[in-house]
């Protein structure tokens, strides 16, 4: 997922993480992630925060990372 062209990088510590996007896509990615069952929020227009519950397992985190490219791919079609 981190090799996706719309991901600039990540920041944070422990399980509190943000995915820095290459543009102001956080709102539509948040909507897609929530529709897919992930709890995220747009911390800035270009950053998506994952603030998991304390019961998050490594498998749950892997599920999000695996799903992230599919959440971002539709934006490639509308990004200049």
């Amino acid at each position: 997922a981190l090799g996706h062209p719309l991901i600039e990088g990540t920041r944070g510590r422990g399980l509190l993480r943000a995915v820095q996007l290459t543009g102001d896509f956080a709102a539509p990615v948040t909507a897609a992630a929530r529709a897919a069952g992930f709890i995220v929020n747009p911390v800035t227009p270009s950053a998506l925060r994952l603030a998991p519950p304390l019961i998050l397992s490594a498998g749950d985190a892997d599920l999000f990372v695996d799903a992230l490219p599919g959440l971002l791919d539709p934006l490639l079609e509308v990004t200049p």
Side-chain angles (χ1 to χ4, degrees):
L2 296 179
H4 197 279
L6 296 182
I7 296 177
E8 188 173 296
T10 62
R11 63 178 189 247
R13 205 171 258 181
L15 291 177
L16 188 58
R17 296 289 183 159
V19 176
Q20 185 64 47
L21 304 171
T22 59
D24 292 347
F25 316 118
V29 176
T30 295
R34 287 182 181 168
F38 298 106
I39 301 171
V40 297
N41 67 312
V43 65
T44 70
S46 62
L48 183 68
R49 179 172 45 199
L50 175 63
L54 295 176
I55 58 170
L56 179 81
S57 70
D60 293 334
D62 289 343
L63 242 144
F64 177 73
V65 170
D66 291 343
L68 191 53
L71 301 172
L72 292 169
D73 284 343
L75 295 172
L76 289 172
E77 298 170 10
V78 296
T79 303

